[in-house]
PDB file of all heavy atoms in Angstrom:
ATOM      1  N   GLU A  26     135.609  55.253   2.011  1.00 93.00           N
ATOM      2  CA  GLU A  26     136.886  54.754   2.525  1.00 93.00           C
ATOM      3  C   GLU A  26     136.730  54.329   3.983  1.00 93.00           C
ATOM      4  O   GLU A  26     135.849  54.836   4.686  1.00 93.00           O
ATOM      5  CB  GLU A  26     137.959  55.846   2.430  1.00 93.00           C
ATOM      6  CG  GLU A  26     138.336  56.209   1.021  1.00 93.00           C
ATOM      7  CD  GLU A  26     138.947  55.044   0.255  1.00 93.00           C
ATOM      8  OE1 GLU A  26     139.883  54.404   0.769  1.00 93.00           O
ATOM      9  OE2 GLU A  26     138.453  54.769  -0.853  1.00 93.00           O
ATOM     10  N   PRO A  27     137.586  53.436   4.462  1.00 94.00           N
ATOM     11  CA  PRO A  27     137.562  53.143   5.904  1.00 94.00           C
ATOM     12  C   PRO A  27     138.116  54.340   6.676  1.00 94.00           C
ATOM     13  O   PRO A  27     139.182  54.854   6.344  1.00 94.00           O
ATOM     14  CB  PRO A  27     138.457  51.907   6.048  1.00 94.00           C
ATOM     15  CG  PRO A  27     139.220  51.802   4.774  1.00 94.00           C
ATOM     16  CD  PRO A  27     138.519  52.609   3.727  1.00 94.00           C
ATOM     17  N   TRP A  28     137.388  54.791   7.681  1.00 94.00           N
ATOM     18  CA  TRP A  28     137.745  55.958   8.472  1.00 94.00           C
ATOM     19  C   TRP A  28     138.065  55.555   9.912  1.00 94.00           C
ATOM     20  O   TRP A  28     137.481  54.631  10.455  1.00 94.00           O
ATOM     21  CB  TRP A  28     136.554  56.928   8.530  1.00 94.00           C
ATOM     22  CG  TRP A  28     136.383  57.793   7.343  1.00 94.00           C
ATOM     23  CD1 TRP A  28     135.690  57.482   6.200  1.00 94.00           C
ATOM     24  CD2 TRP A  28     136.861  59.127   7.168  1.00 94.00           C
ATOM     25  NE1 TRP A  28     135.731  58.533   5.334  1.00 94.00           N
ATOM     26  CE2 TRP A  28     136.438  59.551   5.891  1.00 94.00           C
ATOM     27  CE3 TRP A  28     137.628  59.975   7.955  1.00 94.00           C
ATOM     28  CZ2 TRP A  28     136.742  60.812   5.397  1.00 94.00           C
ATOM     29  CZ3 TRP A  28     137.923  61.225   7.469  1.00 94.00           C
ATOM     30  CH2 TRP A  28     137.487  61.638   6.205  1.00 94.00           C
ATOM     31  N   SER A  29     138.902  56.343  10.533  1.00 93.00           N
ATOM     32  CA  SER A  29     139.108  56.293  11.971  1.00 93.00           C
ATOM     33  C   SER A  29     138.784  57.692  12.472  1.00 93.00           C
ATOM     34  O   SER A  29     139.392  58.673  12.056  1.00 93.00           O
ATOM     35  CB  SER A  29     140.560  55.920  12.297  1.00 93.00           C
ATOM     36  OG  SER A  29     140.721  55.748  13.670  1.00 93.00           O
ATOM     37  N   MET A  30     137.796  57.776  13.367  1.00 92.00           N
ATOM     38  CA  MET A  30     137.258  59.078  13.775  1.00 92.00           C
ATOM     39  C   MET A  30     137.131  59.194  15.284  1.00 92.00           C
ATOM     40  O   MET A  30     137.033  58.181  15.986  1.00 92.00           O
ATOM     41  CB  MET A  30     135.868  59.286  13.168  1.00 92.00           C
ATOM     42  CG  MET A  30     135.851  59.410  11.690  1.00 92.00           C
ATOM     43  SD  MET A  30     134.182  59.860  11.174  1.00 92.00           S
ATOM     44  CE  MET A  30     134.478  60.212   9.466  1.00 92.00           C
ATOM     45  N   PRO A  31     137.061  60.438  15.766  1.00 88.00           N
ATOM     46  CA  PRO A  31     136.795  60.638  17.191  1.00 88.00           C
ATOM     47  C   PRO A  31     135.385  60.160  17.538  1.00 88.00           C
ATOM     48  O   PRO A  31     134.507  60.129  16.671  1.00 88.00           O
ATOM     49  CB  PRO A  31     136.926  62.147  17.380  1.00 88.00           C
ATOM     50  CG  PRO A  31     136.986  62.758  16.035  1.00 88.00           C
ATOM     51  CD  PRO A  31     137.245  61.686  15.044  1.00 88.00           C
ATOM     52  N   MET A  32     135.206  59.780  18.775  1.00 86.00           N
ATOM     53  CA  MET A  32     133.903  59.300  19.233  1.00 86.00           C
ATOM     54  C   MET A  32     132.822  60.346  18.920  1.00 86.00           C
ATOM     55  O   MET A  32     133.065  61.554  19.088  1.00 86.00           O
ATOM     56  CB  MET A  32     133.922  59.010  20.728  1.00 86.00           C
ATOM     57  CG  MET A  32     134.907  57.914  21.118  1.00 86.00           C
ATOM     58  SD  MET A  32     134.495  56.308  20.429  1.00 86.00           S
ATOM     59  CE  MET A  32     133.023  55.922  21.353  1.00 86.00           C
ATOM     60  N   PRO A  33     131.645  59.905  18.469  1.00 85.00           N
ATOM     61  CA  PRO A  33     130.595  60.852  18.076  1.00 85.00           C
ATOM     62  C   PRO A  33     130.077  61.726  19.225  1.00 85.00           C
ATOM     63  O   PRO A  33     129.579  62.819  18.982  1.00 85.00           O
ATOM     64  CB  PRO A  33     129.473  59.978  17.524  1.00 85.00           C
ATOM     65  CG  PRO A  33     129.913  58.582  17.626  1.00 85.00           C
ATOM     66  CD  PRO A  33     131.277  58.525  18.230  1.00 85.00           C
ATOM     67  N   ASP A  34     130.224  61.271  20.477  1.00 83.00           N
ATOM     68  CA  ASP A  34     129.712  62.062  21.598  1.00 83.00           C
ATOM     69  C   ASP A  34     130.727  63.074  22.119  1.00 83.00           C
ATOM     70  O   ASP A  34     130.499  63.736  23.133  1.00 83.00           O
ATOM     71  CB  ASP A  34     129.228  61.158  22.731  1.00 83.00           C
ATOM     72  CG  ASP A  34     130.320  60.280  23.320  1.00 83.00           C
ATOM     73  OD1 ASP A  34     131.403  60.176  22.710  1.00 83.00           O
ATOM     74  OD2 ASP A  34     130.079  59.679  24.375  1.00 83.00           O
ATOM     75  N   THR A  35     131.860  63.233  21.401  1.00 83.00           N
ATOM     76  CA  THR A  35     132.845  64.248  21.774  1.00 83.00           C
ATOM     77  C   THR A  35     132.582  65.519  20.958  1.00 83.00           C
ATOM     78  O   THR A  35     131.889  65.475  19.944  1.00 83.00           O
ATOM     79  CB  THR A  35     134.270  63.766  21.508  1.00 83.00           C
ATOM     80  OG1 THR A  35     134.468  63.567  20.110  1.00 83.00           O
ATOM     81  CG2 THR A  35     134.574  62.476  22.280  1.00 83.00           C
ATOM     82  N   LEU A  36     133.168  66.610  21.373  1.00 83.00           N
ATOM     83  CA  LEU A  36     132.998  67.865  20.659  1.00 83.00           C
ATOM     84  C   LEU A  36     133.540  67.761  19.239  1.00 83.00           C
ATOM     85  O   LEU A  36     132.868  68.135  18.278  1.00 83.00           O
ATOM     86  CB  LEU A  36     133.671  68.997  21.428  1.00 83.00           C
ATOM     87  CG  LEU A  36     133.506  70.401  20.857  1.00 83.00           C
ATOM     88  CD1 LEU A  36     132.038  70.748  20.656  1.00 83.00           C
ATOM     89  CD2 LEU A  36     134.163  71.414  21.757  1.00 83.00           C
ATOM     90  N   VAL A  37     134.753  67.237  19.084  1.00 84.00           N
ATOM     91  CA  VAL A  37     135.324  67.097  17.738  1.00 84.00           C
ATOM     92  C   VAL A  37     134.513  66.105  16.924  1.00 84.00           C
ATOM     93  O   VAL A  37     134.265  66.318  15.739  1.00 84.00           O
ATOM     94  CB  VAL A  37     136.808  66.681  17.813  1.00 84.00           C
ATOM     95  CG1 VAL A  37     137.365  66.394  16.423  1.00 84.00           C
ATOM     96  CG2 VAL A  37     137.622  67.761  18.496  1.00 84.00           C
ATOM     97  N   GLY A  38     134.054  65.043  17.553  1.00 87.00           N
ATOM     98  CA  GLY A  38     133.224  64.059  16.846  1.00 87.00           C
ATOM     99  C   GLY A  38     131.953  64.673  16.300  1.00 87.00           C
ATOM    100  O   GLY A  38     131.527  64.389  15.176  1.00 87.00           O
ATOM    101  N   SER A  39     131.330  65.570  17.072  1.00 87.00           N
ATOM    102  CA  SER A  39     130.098  66.225  16.599  1.00 87.00           C
ATOM    103  C   SER A  39     130.407  67.209  15.468  1.00 87.00           C
ATOM    104  O   SER A  39     129.618  67.356  14.532  1.00 87.00           O
ATOM    105  CB  SER A  39     129.372  66.923  17.748  1.00 87.00           C
ATOM    106  OG  SER A  39     130.117  68.012  18.228  1.00 87.00           O
ATOM    107  N   LEU A  40     131.569  67.867  15.500  1.00 87.00           N
ATOM    108  CA  LEU A  40     131.957  68.761  14.403  1.00 87.00           C
ATOM    109  C   LEU A  40     132.180  67.973  13.111  1.00 87.00           C
ATOM    110  O   LEU A  40     131.787  68.419  12.031  1.00 87.00           O
ATOM    111  CB  LEU A  40     133.241  69.529  14.763  1.00 87.00           C
ATOM    112  CG  LEU A  40     133.129  70.558  15.873  1.00 87.00           C
ATOM    113  CD1 LEU A  40     134.516  71.065  16.262  1.00 87.00           C
ATOM    114  CD2 LEU A  40     132.222  71.701  15.475  1.00 87.00           C
ATOM    115  N   VAL A  41     132.799  66.815  13.224  1.00 90.00           N
ATOM    116  CA  VAL A  41     133.029  65.969  12.053  1.00 90.00           C
ATOM    117  C   VAL A  41     131.690  65.473  11.491  1.00 90.00           C
ATOM    118  O   VAL A  41     131.483  65.498  10.273  1.00 90.00           O
ATOM    119  CB  VAL A  41     133.966  64.801  12.403  1.00 90.00           C
ATOM    120  CG1 VAL A  41     134.056  63.802  11.257  1.00 90.00           C
ATOM    121  CG2 VAL A  41     135.349  65.323  12.771  1.00 90.00           C
ATOM    122  N   ALA A  42     130.789  65.065  12.370  1.00 91.00           N
ATOM    123  CA  ALA A  42     129.468  64.626  11.923  1.00 91.00           C
ATOM    124  C   ALA A  42     128.760  65.748  11.177  1.00 91.00           C
ATOM    125  O   ALA A  42     128.172  65.534  10.108  1.00 91.00           O
ATOM    126  CB  ALA A  42     128.628  64.163  13.118  1.00 91.00           C
ATOM    127  N   ASP A  43     128.828  66.957  11.714  1.00 88.00           N
ATOM    128  CA  ASP A  43     128.209  68.112  11.053  1.00 88.00           C
ATOM    129  C   ASP A  43     128.837  68.381   9.699  1.00 88.00           C
ATOM    130  O   ASP A  43     128.155  68.729   8.726  1.00 88.00           O
ATOM    131  CB  ASP A  43     128.331  69.365  11.927  1.00 88.00           C
ATOM    132  CG  ASP A  43     127.484  69.294  13.183  1.00 88.00           C
ATOM    133  OD1 ASP A  43     126.577  68.424  13.266  1.00 88.00           O
ATOM    134  OD2 ASP A  43     127.726  70.119  14.081  1.00 88.00           O
ATOM    135  N   ALA A  44     130.163  68.205   9.594  1.00 90.00           N
ATOM    136  CA  ALA A  44     130.859  68.423   8.323  1.00 90.00           C
ATOM    137  C   ALA A  44     130.385  67.423   7.266  1.00 90.00           C
ATOM    138  O   ALA A  44     130.159  67.796   6.113  1.00 90.00           O
ATOM    139  CB  ALA A  44     132.367  68.307   8.511  1.00 90.00           C
ATOM    140  N   PHE A  45     130.223  66.175   7.649  1.00 92.00           N
ATOM    141  CA  PHE A  45     129.730  65.160   6.712  1.00 92.00           C
ATOM    142  C   PHE A  45     128.315  65.493   6.268  1.00 92.00           C
ATOM    143  O   PHE A  45     128.007  65.467   5.076  1.00 92.00           O
ATOM    144  CB  PHE A  45     129.773  63.766   7.349  1.00 92.00           C
ATOM    145  CG  PHE A  45     131.046  63.027   7.066  1.00 92.00           C
ATOM    146  CD1 PHE A  45     132.228  63.369   7.711  1.00 92.00           C
ATOM    147  CD2 PHE A  45     131.073  61.982   6.162  1.00 92.00           C
ATOM    148  CE1 PHE A  45     133.397  62.689   7.454  1.00 92.00           C
ATOM    149  CE2 PHE A  45     132.241  61.290   5.886  1.00 92.00           C
ATOM    150  CZ  PHE A  45     133.409  61.658   6.543  1.00 92.00           C
ATOM    151  N   ARG A  46     127.474  65.805   7.223  1.00 91.00           N
ATOM    152  CA  ARG A  46     126.076  66.109   6.880  1.00 91.00           C
ATOM    153  C   ARG A  46     125.959  67.362   6.028  1.00 91.00           C
ATOM    154  O   ARG A  46     125.146  67.438   5.114  1.00 91.00           O
ATOM    155  CB  ARG A  46     125.258  66.225   8.164  1.00 91.00           C
ATOM    156  CG  ARG A  46     125.108  64.885   8.873  1.00 91.00           C
ATOM    157  CD  ARG A  46     124.254  64.986  10.120  1.00 91.00           C
ATOM    158  NE  ARG A  46     124.299  63.741  10.848  1.00 91.00           N
ATOM    159  CZ  ARG A  46     124.772  63.609  12.080  1.00 91.00           C
ATOM    160  NH1 ARG A  46     125.196  64.649  12.754  1.00 91.00           N
ATOM    161  NH2 ARG A  46     124.802  62.427  12.664  1.00 91.00           N
ATOM    162  N   ALA A  47     126.796  68.382   6.313  1.00 89.00           N
ATOM    163  CA  ALA A  47     126.783  69.620   5.527  1.00 89.00           C
ATOM    164  C   ALA A  47     127.178  69.350   4.082  1.00 89.00           C
ATOM    165  O   ALA A  47     126.727  70.041   3.163  1.00 89.00           O
ATOM    166  CB  ALA A  47     127.724  70.664   6.136  1.00 89.00           C
ATOM    167  N   GLY A  48     128.006  68.330   3.866  1.00 89.00           N
ATOM    168  CA  GLY A  48     128.408  67.940   2.521  1.00 89.00           C
ATOM    169  C   GLY A  48     127.434  66.980   1.877  1.00 89.00           C
ATOM    170  O   GLY A  48     127.717  66.445   0.804  1.00 89.00           O
ATOM    171  N   GLY A  49     126.279  66.714   2.545  1.00 92.00           N
ATOM    172  CA  GLY A  49     125.284  65.799   2.011  1.00 92.00           C
ATOM    173  C   GLY A  49     125.708  64.348   2.085  1.00 92.00           C
ATOM    174  O   GLY A  49     125.196  63.507   1.350  1.00 92.00           O
ATOM    175  N   LEU A  50     126.621  64.032   2.999  1.00 93.00           N
ATOM    176  CA  LEU A  50     127.157  62.682   3.109  1.00 93.00           C
ATOM    177  C   LEU A  50     126.565  61.955   4.296  1.00 93.00           C
ATOM    178  O   LEU A  50     126.205  62.560   5.310  1.00 93.00           O
ATOM    179  CB  LEU A  50     128.684  62.729   3.247  1.00 93.00           C
ATOM    180  CG  LEU A  50     129.425  63.437   2.120  1.00 93.00           C
ATOM    181  CD1 LEU A  50     130.884  63.582   2.470  1.00 93.00           C
ATOM    182  CD2 LEU A  50     129.253  62.679   0.809  1.00 93.00           C
ATOM    183  N   LYS A  51     126.515  60.651   4.178  1.00 91.00           N
ATOM    184  CA  LYS A  51     126.003  59.811   5.257  1.00 91.00           C
ATOM    185  C   LYS A  51     126.998  59.821   6.418  1.00 91.00           C
ATOM    186  O   LYS A  51     128.223  59.745   6.211  1.00 91.00           O
ATOM    187  CB  LYS A  51     125.814  58.386   4.761  1.00 91.00           C
ATOM    188  CG  LYS A  51     125.264  57.452   5.787  1.00 91.00           C
ATOM    189  CD  LYS A  51     125.142  56.054   5.239  1.00 91.00           C
ATOM    190  CE  LYS A  51     124.700  55.137   6.354  1.00 91.00           C
ATOM    191  NZ  LYS A  51     125.237  53.830   6.260  1.00 91.00           N
ATOM    192  N   TYR A  52     126.492  59.918   7.632  1.00 90.00           N
ATOM    193  CA  TYR A  52     127.321  59.845   8.808  1.00 90.00           C
ATOM    194  C   TYR A  52     126.669  58.890   9.810  1.00 90.00           C
ATOM    195  O   TYR A  52     125.466  58.995  10.027  1.00 90.00           O
ATOM    196  CB  TYR A  52     127.516  61.214   9.477  1.00 90.00           C
ATOM    197  CG  TYR A  52     128.452  61.132  10.650  1.00 90.00           C
ATOM    198  CD1 TYR A  52     129.817  61.206  10.462  1.00 90.00           C
ATOM    199  CD2 TYR A  52     127.985  60.911  11.927  1.00 90.00           C
ATOM    200  CE1 TYR A  52     130.693  61.083  11.525  1.00 90.00           C
ATOM    201  CE2 TYR A  52     128.842  60.779  13.003  1.00 90.00           C
ATOM    202  CZ  TYR A  52     130.193  60.874  12.786  1.00 90.00           C
ATOM    203  OH  TYR A  52     131.060  60.747  13.829  1.00 90.00           O
ATOM    204  N   PRO A  53     127.408  57.995  10.395  1.00 89.00           N
ATOM    205  CA  PRO A  53     128.826  57.742  10.147  1.00 89.00           C
ATOM    206  C   PRO A  53     129.030  57.030   8.815  1.00 89.00           C
ATOM    207  O   PRO A  53     128.153  56.298   8.361  1.00 89.00           O
ATOM    208  CB  PRO A  53     129.244  56.850  11.322  1.00 89.00           C
ATOM    209  CG  PRO A  53     128.000  56.154  11.742  1.00 89.00           C
ATOM    210  CD  PRO A  53     126.876  57.111  11.441  1.00 89.00           C
ATOM    211  N   PRO A  54     130.181  57.257   8.203  1.00 86.00           N
ATOM    212  CA  PRO A  54     130.458  56.580   6.938  1.00 86.00           C
ATOM    213  C   PRO A  54     130.641  55.077   7.157  1.00 86.00           C
ATOM    214  O   PRO A  54     130.902  54.632   8.277  1.00 86.00           O
ATOM    215  CB  PRO A  54     131.752  57.224   6.446  1.00 86.00           C
ATOM    216  CG  PRO A  54     132.374  57.821   7.646  1.00 86.00           C
ATOM    217  CD  PRO A  54     131.266  58.131   8.614  1.00 86.00           C
ATOM    218  N   LYS A  55     130.494  54.331   6.083  1.00 83.00           N
ATOM    219  CA  LYS A  55     130.666  52.881   6.133  1.00 83.00           C
ATOM    220  C   LYS A  55     132.105  52.564   6.535  1.00 83.00           C
ATOM    221  O   LYS A  55     133.050  53.227   6.092  1.00 83.00           O
ATOM    222  CB  LYS A  55     130.363  52.313   4.746  1.00 83.00           C
ATOM    223  CG  LYS A  55     130.548  50.824   4.614  1.00 83.00           C
ATOM    224  CD  LYS A  55     130.176  50.377   3.221  1.00 83.00           C
ATOM    225  CE  LYS A  55     131.341  50.658   2.316  1.00 83.00           C
ATOM    226  NZ  LYS A  55     131.197  50.173   0.968  1.00 83.00           N
TER     227      LYS A  55
END
C-alpha cells in the first residue's frame, strides 16, 4: 500500500523500520 511515514533518521522512523524488518518485510515499502 502507499504509506506515509516518519523520516527514517528519526527515532520513530527507526522503530517503524525495525518493525517492518522484524515482520520479514521490505523497508522502505514501495
Side-chain angles (χ1 to χ4, degrees):
E26 293 298 309
W28 280 87
S29 186
M30 294 187 171
M32 298 297 290
D34 61 347
T35 65
L36 184 54
V37 174
S39 67
L40 292 171
V41 171
D43 291 346
F45 268 74
R46 291 182 188 119
L50 303 172
K51 181 182 175 214
Y52 184 85
K55 178 178 80 175

